[in-house]
Amino acid sequence: MSVKSGSETVVVDVDPYATALTATIETFDWQASPNGLATRRQLRALGLRPGGQDPVAQLRCRACRAKPARACTRMAYLYRIDLALPVRPMTLAKEAALDRAMAKRSTCPKCRRRFHFCLPLRTIGSCLECHDGTPADPTSYTAPPAAHDLAA
């Protein structure tokens, strides 16, 4: 791209695939980021969150460190630790919502047993015992709530 500045033309190198955010921030190789910057996962381990700040740099993945010319598709954004805020505490409503979501993923729709792991509901649609008869370990699930015939 060329830009006219007065009487001379200045040639500017432009990456047509760069977004506005990635075109302006610095890129570091894996395990080469400076002190004071951390990824979201590292902030969470410190009990912090980005708190609305924009990323100040990006980190290339381990596979791209050996191949500098490779376009990295698994970038991790880096945030300033001194601007990070503490993680918001878990409320009872949030905990109940997360429990309901996990119950949906770990409850078999056919036998109503709640397993201690997520079931393959997208592919199989039920637990293995309901799908093909593979017996489930009795310690890997909790029994469904018993239905009662009481009037009250």
Side-chain angles (χ1 to χ4, degrees):
M1 178 175 156
S2 61
V3 178
K4 289 205 172 202
S5 174
S7 62
E8 62 186 55
T9 302
V10 178
V11 178
V12 179
D13 186 19
V14 176
D15 183 3
Y17 301 106
T19 63
L21 179 65
T22 59
T24 59
I25 62 177
E26 197 170 352
T27 303
F28 294 102
D29 281 333
W30 187 71
Q31 288 189 336
S33 63
N35 292 335
L37 299 181
T39 62
R40 282 181 168 272
R41 187 171 287 189
Q42 291 168 338
L43 286 175
R44 179 62 83 162
L46 295 171
L48 301 171
R49 61 184 169 92
Q53 64 172 311
D54 289 330
V56 294
Q58 56 189 1
L59 190 66
R60 291 170 51 108
C61 66
R62 184 190 318 191
C64 295
R65 181 179 66 170
K67 301 173 186 168
R70 178 180 172 181
C72 188
T73 58
R74 296 181 297 175
M75 292 280 190
Y77 290 122
L78 295 171
Y79 301 90
R80 288 181 48 184
I81 295 174
D82 59 338
L83 296 180
L85 300 175
V87 175
R88 293 187 184 115
M90 179 72 69
T91 63
L92 289 175
K94 273 187 185 179
E95 192 171 353
L98 286 172
D99 186 54
R100 283 193 304 271
M102 289 307 295
K104 280 282 236 193
R105 296 177 66 191
S106 60
T107 302
C108 176
K110 294 181 180 176
C111 65
R112 306 302 305 160
R113 287 186 273 188
R114 184 171 177 181
F115 288 81
H116 303 302
F117 52 87
C118 293
L119 296 174
L121 297 176
R122 285 189 182 173
T123 55
I124 296 176
S126 64
C127 65
L128 288 176
E129 191 166 349
C130 293
H131 176 68
D132 62 4
T134 305
D137 182 15
T139 62
S140 67
Y141 62 86
T142 55
H148 59 81
D149 297 329
L150 300 176

